[in-house]
Amino acid sequence: MRLKIACIGGGPAGLYVAISMKLRDPRHEVHVFERNAEGVTFGWGVVFSDQTVENLMANDPISGQIIADEFAHWDDIDVHIQGACVRSSGHGFIGIGRKQLLEILANRARELDVEIHYETEFDPDLAAWPGWDLVIAADGINSRFREAHAEHFGVDVQERANRFVWLGTPKTFDAFTFAFEKTEAGWIWAHAYRFAEDCSTFIVECSEDTWHRLGFDRIEQAEAIALCEKIFAKYLDGQPLLSNAAHLQGPAVWLKFRRIICERWHYDKLILLGDAAHTAHFSIGSGTKLALEDAIKLAEVLNRPGLGRAEALAEYQAERNLEVLKLQNSARNSTEWFETVERYLHFEPWQFAYSLLTRSQRISHENLRLRDRGWLEETERTFWQEATGKAKTAWPMFAPFKLREMEVQNRIVVSPMAMYSAVDGVPNDFHLVHLGARAQGGAGLVFTEMTCVSPEGRISPGCTGMWNDEQLSAWCRVTDFVHSNSKAKICLQLGHSGGKGSTRVGWEGDNMPLVEGNWPVFAASDAPWSPENQQPRPMTRSDMDDVRSQFVAAVRMGLKAGFDMVEMHAAHGYLLSSFITPLQNKRTDEYGGNLENRLRFPLEVFAAMREAWPADRPMSVRISANDWAGEEGVTPDEAVLIAEAFARAGADLIDVSAGQTWADAQPVYGRLFQTPFSDKIRNQAKLATMAVGNITDPDQVNAILTAGRADLVALARPHLVDPMWTLRAAAMANYRDQWVPPPYLGGMAQMARLFEREAELRAAELKA
Ligand SMILES: Cc1cc2nc3c(=O)[nH]c(=O)nc-3n(C[C@H](O)[C@H](O)[C@H](O)COP(=O)(O)OP(=O)(O)OC[C@H]3O[C@@H](n4cnc5c(N)ncnc54)[C@H](O)[C@@H]3O)c2cc1C
Ligand SMILES: Cc1cc2nc3c(=O)[nH]c(=O)nc-3n(C[C@H](O)[C@H](O)[C@H](O)COP(=O)(O)O)c2cc1C
């Protein structure tokens, strides 16, 4: 069907949708309205990936080829930090000037009979567009059309913290350059890349505080540029920095990135496209790509025979939104990295660069190896050198780690997991086989499940305990087996269920009260976990004394039982966690209210345990670093203070979990979803941490460790189905120094050969 279409905005999205509509049906009448004059635009260069170029070629080979001919290509990334430059290669970028791109697209659009009206701005009121079939709002990040109809689009705007300015320079960089400079006012950095023979983009970014302290909020654009030229003089070789935003006065040239999400992308005959519909932070360089790919998809669905308008638009949004969400997720990680960069500035340059390169979590350890094997191997060697005093080219996950006098053979940990298989708290053959198999499976450290310090401190009747001799000798059997049949160390996790106790075994209803035989429970306050659960009795001081003594007694038994390490469980809403989280702790005495008060009892217990545990053996604490309740609950910022308080009380490792502290929490799940909290605690408080939560493969583990986001990595569910997770990883890496139970050596050799063959086949396929 022939359509009369108005495209608002002559940016990449508006021009490319006009082209794409005309290519599919020349009968469409397509007009582009751009408020600026031709050739007047903000910004300098934009970067693309090879995939985007392929998409452009498939959609319109003519403009695709002209664009491809204009590209500047480069492979290297330079990270300048603390006077050093870390160069890695194989990154394969393509850049083009925004002005050139728009010129090519405008020429191509005219060739296809699109009418472009420059210096024309229209009213966003749809009543002003009576004769038009479609109005496509491609009017950019500040879209007036989106704002005028915001209630129909479900617009969510988030303004990010840092300030940036988009400048250009005739200095041509031969690598994508990140330059971090320390000034008396704070850190400031540039993202620079060449996009033409004689021109580079030069984006300057800093925190809001540094921006104020440098006086950028008070000076005119020319002065600001002169100051940037001075700060970055050593990178510019005497070349100037240039602005093409001369119309902006004073500080207005500095922007704060606005992340836009829209629940719906169309309303009536109005359709959102490109930045008007969504934005992706400039540090992952994907805004133009998204705009162009939106345009292709929209034109495709609108011209598909037999597809009604409503179905077409639903498909447009569903498919593009998925792509956008993926990118926005990476973009958020990348944005946050730059917003919290202070955390990483104490890293050695190699680690700082690694952390920068993997910031979005889109680029993994093995991906870096594919890009630049030499650089990655050097990075691995340095990791080993710093970790062990000996350089070695091997996966970082196999590097040993020392806590007090306990050394674990590698960084993999079997996370604590309740098996609900004990009778009267006594571990049995199930626990022996379960923990024994995982120890033989190669992990450096194996945690017991939450082992309860008293009968009423159990979560369920199936929980293990440590309050009597029968339990002690059963635990001795487990630790003896682990020590004599593996190289693993074993950590006893001690806990008390509090208000989440007296519930069923996990697979019969998580956190649901027992069908019969419930025992009374206590907690910090009397709020029940859920309407189905018992109302706990608020603990008295005498209860606290009892519980503290029970923890200490359990620690002493743990020592007799031969455990290498003890962890206090203060996470997930159980007793000690019920004191820490304000969502459960409603006390008005010295154990409730501010954080210091809420921590008082858990710290008292921890200190007493520490006293009972030998000075040469380590202790850790598991915390919930985020209640997933915004400011109402424990926030990641508060988690840093919590971690610091436990470290002062003698914790050697912070086991960083999150959530499960109140029933209505809204966790944001995803790959590695809790690792950012470990990163924050480790690098802000400078403490050893263990990351956990949806970490499933060795590549992720290596990236977490090499980027300094954790010191140990715990895996729970992956170990449920694969006790040999670590041995499998060693076979995959053909790592010969991993200890293997001698009778299993044949299996390891075979698995390593199979992995090797598989890799060779993949390489041959890639070559072909
Ligand atoms: C510092 C910085 C660096 C970036 N780097 C990259 C990069 O490397 N790679 C990348 O892909 N992307 C990058 N981007 C993002 C990229 O610029 C945008 O994502 C892209 O331009 C979006 O295209 P668009 O057509 O949707 O919007 P725009 O390019 O913003 O175009 C919108 C157009 O609409 C016009 N307009 C607005 N309102 C009206 C109106 N009412 N009537 C008529 N016309 C109107 C505007 O003048 C403008 O020309 C960067 C962005 C910034 C800020
Ligand atoms: C079956 C099961 C039982 C668990 N029991 C405990 C426990 O006893 N103590 C504890 O601190 N965490 C417990 N957890 C949480 C895990 O240790 C881990 O933090 C969580 O599963 C996220 O890691 P994953 O994504 O690798 O599974 C348990 C998890 C599972 C799956």
Side-chain angles (χ1 to χ4, degrees):
M1 190 180 75
R2 179 185 174 278
L3 298 170
K4 186 174 173 192
I5 303 167
C7 303
I8 314 298
L15 289 169
Y16 206 58
V17 77
I19 292 170
S20 304
M21 288 301 290
K22 286 295 258 183
L23 279 170
R24 282 168 179 76
D25 190 342
R27 293 170 306 162
H28 295 314
E29 183 185 337
V30 186
H31 296 252
V32 173
F33 299 99
E34 166 58 47
R35 66 178 171 198
N36 289 335
E38 185 159 15
V40 174
T41 183
F42 68 93
W44 295 85
V46 290
V47 289
F48 286 142
S49 66
D50 289 338
Q51 180 61 51
T52 308
V53 180
E54 272 175 34
N55 294 345
L56 297 185
M57 290 296 281
N59 185 54
D60 177 23
I62 296 182
S63 61
Q65 192 56 54
I66 304 172
I67 292 169
D69 291 344
E70 285 282 322
F71 277 133
H73 292 250
W74 70 101
D75 253 354
D76 300 341
I77 293 184
D78 281 354
V79 181
H80 294 265
I81 180 76
Q82 316 274 21
C85 174
V86 181
R87 171 168 286 201
S88 56
S89 196
H91 299 290
F93 288 104
I94 312 168
I96 186 169
R98 180 176 160 93
K99 221 169 167 170
Q100 282 99 307
L101 176 68
L102 293 184
E103 199 179 298
I104 294 166
L105 296 182
N107 288 341
R108 178 67 175 140
R110 286 199 187 96
E111 236 173 67
L112 294 167
D113 284 336
V114 173
E115 287 188 42
I116 310 180
H117 313 266
Y118 285 102
E119 298 179 75
T120 312
E121 190 164 354
F122 280 105
D123 198 326
D125 182 359
L126 281 187
W129 300 82
W132 299 81
D133 297 307
L134 292 176
V135 178
I136 300 178
D139 50 345
I141 192 165
N142 298 317
S143 170
R144 281 181 60 202
F145 280 72
R146 181 192 64 224
E147 292 310 305
H149 306 281
E151 75 278 17
H152 298 290
F153 294 124
V155 186
D156 175 29
V157 180
Q158 190 185 65
E159 187 174 80
R160 301 302 312 205
N162 282 353
R163 294 274 177 178
F164 71 93
V165 59
W166 199 351
L167 302 171
T169 174
K171 152 85 196 205
T172 51
F173 290 91
D174 64 350
F176 194 118
T177 299
F178 292 101
F180 289 81
E181 281 299 307
K182 190 176 185 177
T183 69
E184 280 181 5
W187 285 83
I188 183 164
W189 54 94
H191 314 229
Y193 54 91
R194 183 170 68 83
F195 64 84
E197 282 304 305
D198 54 356
C199 207
S200 300
T201 286
F202 199 93
I203 301 167
V204 179
E205 186 183 4
C206 62
S207 71
E208 176 85 355
D209 280 354
T210 303
W211 186 72
H212 282 292
R213 282 196 295 263
L214 283 170
F216 286 129
D217 55 339
R218 303 181 289 280
I219 55 181
E220 280 306 319
Q221 209 187 115
E223 271 180 275
I225 289 175
L227 183 51
C228 289
E229 282 171 348
K230 197 168 145 210
I231 294 170
F232 294 104
K234 66 173 179 252
Y235 306 100
L236 291 169
D237 297 337
Q239 300 283 2
L241 288 176
L242 309 167
S243 163
N244 57 8
H247 57 292
L248 296 175
Q249 301 297 310
V253 68
W254 291 89
L255 304 174
K256 276 186 164 186
F257 180 75
R258 291 170 72 227
R259 196 277 284 122
I260 314 269
I261 293 177
C262 289
E263 263 173 57
R264 288 167 297 281
W265 294 19
H266 51 89
Y267 153 66
D268 200 343
K269 61 182 165 191
L270 184 60
I271 304 170
L272 300 180
L273 193 72
D275 270 13
H278 48 71
T279 55
H281 192 250
F282 59 86
S283 62
I284 63 159
S286 293
T288 308
K289 159 203 158 70
L290 287 177
L292 296 174
E293 291 173 354
D294 278 1
I296 297 173
K297 184 69 196 174
L298 181 60
E300 194 261 307
V301 293
L302 286 173
N303 289 284
R304 198 187 301 162
L307 202 61
R309 173 85 56 86
E311 285 165 289
L313 293 181
E315 185 176 327
Y316 159 65
Q317 168 168 349
E319 193 177 299
R320 293 303 302 151
N321 203 21
L322 197 67
E323 185 65 16
V324 167
L325 288 179
K326 273 196 245 160
L327 266 170
Q328 279 185 333
N329 197 21
S330 303
R332 189 197 56 233
N333 295 334
S334 176
T335 313
E336 278 174 8
W337 192 90
F338 285 103
E339 286 172 355
T340 56
V341 69
E342 303 262 332
R343 234 188 247 169
Y344 311 108
L345 290 163
H346 65 286
F347 280 5
E348 290 295 320
W350 67 270
Q351 190 166 43
F352 183 83
Y354 185 98
S355 171
L356 171 56
L357 293 176
T358 52
R359 69 193 181 279
S360 72
Q361 292 182 20
R362 268 197 311 181
I363 297 178
S364 70
H365 195 74
E366 291 311 307
N367 197 266
L368 284 172
R369 195 185 310 278
L370 282 179
R371 290 167 189 236
D372 190 343
R373 174 177 284 271
W375 177 79
L376 190 79
E377 288 182 354
E378 187 53 38
T379 301
E380 290 182 339
R381 271 194 295 279
T382 317
F383 182 94
W384 275 82
Q385 174 71 39
E386 291 189 6
T388 66
K390 253 200 217 140
K392 183 167 179 175
T393 310
W395 281 1
M397 61 176 264
F398 295 116
F401 185 65
K402 209 168 167 193
L403 286 166
R404 300 211 182 199
E405 291 308 308
M406 181 189 86
E407 186 173 275
V408 287
Q409 56 163 344
N410 59 49
R411 309 293 181 107
I412 300 302
V413 177
V414 177
S415 200
M417 280 183 284
M419 292 290 109
Y420 306 111
S421 300
V423 177
D424 295 330
V426 184
N428 51 40
D429 286 354
F430 181 93
H431 302 87
L432 178 73
V433 173
H434 168 72
L435 294 168
R438 276 139 194 91
Q440 291 192 320
L445 181 60
V446 175
F447 272 64
T448 68
E449 63 195 76
M450 177 170 121
T451 297
C452 307
V453 296
S454 64
E456 63 285 354
R458 288 175 300 167
I459 305 169
S460 77
C463 289
T464 54
M466 189 64 117
W467 66 80
N468 66 32
D469 285 346
E470 196 186 348
Q471 292 156 355
L472 193 156
S473 50
W475 279 122
C476 281
R477 206 169 147 238
V478 173
T479 57
D480 279 352
F481 180 89
V482 168
H483 289 144
S484 46
N485 293 287
S486 82
K487 293 278 183 232
K489 304 291 180 199
I490 181 160
C491 176
L492 171 65
Q493 188 190 53
L494 289 174
H496 187 300
S497 55
K500 286 176 83 176
S502 186
T503 55
R504 299 178 208 173
V505 298
W507 53 90
E508 285 179 4
D510 214 18
N511 296 318
M512 292 296 288
L514 295 171
V515 179
E516 55 187 29
N518 281 290
W519 60 84
V521 296
F522 55 49
S525 301
D526 63 0
W529 173 253
S530 78
E532 283 82 37
N533 291 75
Q534 287 185 61
Q535 182 168 28
R537 175 171 66 74
M539 282 176 87
T540 62
R541 182 58 241 186
S542 144
D543 295 327
M544 291 186 208
D545 290 344
D546 291 348
V547 167
R548 189 196 53 215
S549 305
Q550 288 161 355
F551 269 96
V552 171
V555 166
R556 294 210 172 103
M557 283 191 244
L559 182 62
K560 278 196 197 149
F563 283 98
D564 303 291
M565 177 176 168
V566 164
E567 173 165 285
M568 185 178 94
H569 193 342
H572 302 170
Y574 297 116
L575 185 80
L576 298 170
S577 165
S578 79
F579 277 83
I580 300 174
T581 172
L583 298 165
Q584 282 201 48
N585 185 340
K586 303 294 173 196
R587 298 177 77 101
T588 51
D589 59 6
E590 70 266 42
Y591 301 101
N594 63 27
L595 181 63
E596 191 185 345
N597 284 357
R598 286 184 276 123
L599 274 175
R600 197 177 305 280
F601 179 57
L603 281 175
E604 179 188 320
V605 176
F606 190 88
M609 290 167 74
R610 181 72 265 182
E611 233 179 271
W613 187 242
D616 60 349
R617 293 190 203 192
M619 270 186 71
S620 61
V621 57
R622 177 166 269 208
I623 61 167
S624 284
N626 190 348
D627 282 340
W628 301 114
E631 295 298 314
E632 303 283 295
V634 169
T635 60
D637 279 336
E638 210 173 36
V640 175
L641 304 175
I642 295 170
E644 284 171 335
F646 280 112
R648 281 194 297 274
D652 306 295
L653 178 80
I654 310 299
D655 175 358
V656 189
S657 187
Q660 299 172 58
T661 50
W662 69 304
D664 293 333
Q666 298 290 323
V668 183
Y669 291 120
R671 282 180 312 147
L672 281 57
F673 72 114
Q674 295 171 162
T675 302
F677 312 133
S678 161
D679 181 341
K680 185 175 170 80
I681 290 171
R682 181 178 190 272
N683 296 310
Q684 230 165 281
K686 315 270 186 305
L687 297 173
T689 61
M690 178 159 88
V692 65
N694 223 355
I695 302 165
T696 50
D697 68 50
D699 202 13
Q700 294 167 340
V701 175
N702 287 323
I704 291 170
L705 295 168
T706 317
R709 309 181 88 204
D711 298 280
L712 293 175
V713 177
L715 290 83
R717 287 165 298 170
H719 275 119
L720 283 181
V721 289
D722 187 0
M724 302 284 162
W725 191 95
T726 305
L727 291 190
R728 183 186 296 277
M732 203 184 281
N734 206 0
Y735 179 69
R736 302 294 171 92
D737 293 343
Q738 165 68 37
W739 181 85
V740 179
Y744 297 174
L745 280 164
M748 273 298 280
Q750 184 195 44
M751 193 187 273
R753 263 198 316 278
L754 288 175
F755 276 124
E756 206 169 1
R757 230 175 272 157
E758 215 177 280
E760 280 165 10
L761 272 176
R762 261 203 317 272
E765 268 169 29
L766 272 178
K767 237 184 184 168

